[in-house]
Amino acid sequence: MRYIVMSGTSDATKVIEFLSQDENNYILATTVTDYGGKIAESAGATEVITHALKKEDFVELIHEKNIDTLIDATHPFAAVATETAIESSEKAGINYIRYERASTILPESELIYKVNSFEEGAIKSKELIDKNDGKLMHLAGVLNLNKITEVVGPENVVPRVLPNIFSITKTQDTGVPAANIVAMQGTYSKEFNMAIMKEYNIKAIITKESGESGGAENKINAALELGIPVVLITRPKVEKLNNHIMVRSIKELKEII
C-alpha cells in the first residue's frame, strides 16, 4: 500500500512506525518543519516533505506517487490542515483516515475555565494573573504565543517550548525575556510540572485540550493540586469529519487498513 501521513505529532510518529513494519508499504510523510521531517524519517518514512502544502499540491502528489490512502495525524488544533486533507482526498478519489488522540479526561473543578479561542484565553489569563499577582505559564505551543503576550505582556508569560531553534526564535520574537523561557521536550509527571510552576511563581496556566499524548492531564492536575487556575482552550470542531473514518489508536487503525 502507498500512504501519505500528515505528520508533526507524536501520533504521526506512531502511525509511521506501525506502517513501516510492512516493508512493502510506501510512506510519504508531510510536515511543515525540518525538525518534524527528521522525526518522521527516523520513524521509518520512505520519503519526507518539509513544507506546507495546499490542496492542489496534495492532489498532485497523490497522483504522482500513486497514493492509496491519506492518514491525517496532525494536531487536534490543526483544523485547517484537516479540512485541506479531506478536500484533497475527496478530489483525488482516495481513502481518508483521521487519526486523532483521545480527548483529555478533565476533573471537576471550578478552577478550570474553558474558552474557545486564544483571543478569549488571553483575556481570561490576564484577568487571573492580575488578580493573583504572578506569572502565566503558557503550555499551548509557540505558534499562537503572540496572541497571549500581546494581551498579558511578554514579561508576565513563562512559555514552555521545544528546545529547537524555530521554537526559541519564535518565542524571543514575542519579547518574552530569556529568563522566562523553559525549553524542554517530552511529557512530564504531575510532580515535575508542579515543581516548575512553583519555581516560576505561576498563578495561572493556559493550555490546549490536546489529549493524553500531549501531556495535558498531568499539566492540568499539577496546577489544580497547587490551587492554580487553568485556562483551557477547547478543540475546534471540524464539520467535514462527520462523514469520514476516525481512529483513536494504532489498534483501531490496524483493524481498518
Side-chain angles (χ1 to χ4, degrees):
M1 293 289 285
R2 299 178 68 83
Y3 298 93
I4 285 179
V5 179
M6 292 176 67
S7 308
T9 62
S10 57
D11 301 310
T13 302
K14 293 175 187 175
V15 170
I16 294 169
E17 288 174 344
F18 164 66
L19 294 176
S20 65
Q21 291 173 12
D22 185 340
E23 61 183 19
N24 294 316
N25 285 338
Y26 168 85
I27 307 161
L28 173 59
T30 66
T31 181
V32 294
T33 65
D34 290 337
Y35 176 74
K38 289 175 182 176
I39 293 175
E41 187 175 358
S42 297
T46 312
E47 188 176 350
V48 176
I49 292 175
T50 58
H51 58 264
L53 299 172
K54 297 179 181 178
K55 181 172 71 173
E56 52 268 30
D57 299 322
F58 273 110
V59 173
E60 184 177 340
L61 267 177
I62 289 166
H63 291 312
E64 179 187 336
K65 303 293 184 178
N66 295 315
I67 300 299
D68 304 298
T69 300
L70 187 154
I71 301 177
D72 173 12
T74 55
H75 196 278
F77 280 78
V80 173
T82 290
E83 289 175 351
T84 298
I86 293 170
E87 291 170 1
S88 303
S89 300
E90 289 176 343
K91 186 167 184 179
I94 65 167
N95 298 321
Y96 170 87
I97 300 172
R98 173 61 172 155
Y99 187 105
E100 185 171 295
R101 65 187 67 164
S103 298
T104 304
I105 300 172
L106 295 172
E108 291 291 330
S109 175
E110 294 180 354
L111 290 174
I112 297 177
Y113 299 88
K114 293 183 181 181
V115 296
N116 296 316
S117 67
F118 278 89
E119 291 79 7
E120 188 181 342
I123 294 169
K124 189 62 186 180
S125 296
K126 179 170 173 53
E127 174 190 321
L128 291 168
I129 66 165
D130 284 351
K131 179 181 177 181
N132 296 310
D133 191 25
K135 289 184 169 62
L136 170 73
M137 178 160 274
H138 178 90
L139 300 167
V142 296
L143 296 181
N144 291 287
L145 177 59
N146 63 311
K147 295 176 183 176
I148 305 302
T149 56
E150 286 172 1
V151 176
V152 176
E155 70 283 357
N156 296 318
V157 180
V158 176
R160 203 170 90 187
V161 302
L162 290 172
N164 59 50
I165 293 173
F166 174 82
S167 296
I168 293 173
T169 301
K170 268 287 199 184
T171 302
Q172 290 176 323
D173 288 345
T174 67
V176 171
N180 284 15
I181 300 173
V182 180
M184 54 201 306
Q185 182 177 355
T187 56
Y188 298 91
S189 67
K190 181 182 71 173
E191 291 73 20
F192 189 87
N193 281 294
M194 288 172 66
I196 295 176
M197 292 173 193
K198 289 178 182 177
E199 184 69 25
Y200 283 90
N201 188 33
I202 301 302
K203 297 300 181 183
I205 73 167
I206 183 166
T207 189
K208 295 183 290 190
E209 198 275 284
S210 55
E212 187 177 353
S213 298
E217 291 174 29
N218 282 339
K219 299 170 190 175
I220 292 169
N221 288 329
L224 296 180
E225 188 153 326
L226 293 172
I228 295 172
V230 175
V231 179
L232 184 71
I233 305 169
T234 57
R235 290 185 184 186
K237 291 180 173 58
V238 181
E239 298 297 333
K240 290 181 182 293
L241 277 172
N242 291 341
N243 299 318
H244 291 276
I245 296 171
M246 180 184 290
V247 296
R248 301 287 194 184
S249 67
I250 294 298
K251 181 181 178 182
E252 290 182 13
L253 179 62
K254 187 176 182 179
E255 289 173 354
I256 64 169
I257 64 172

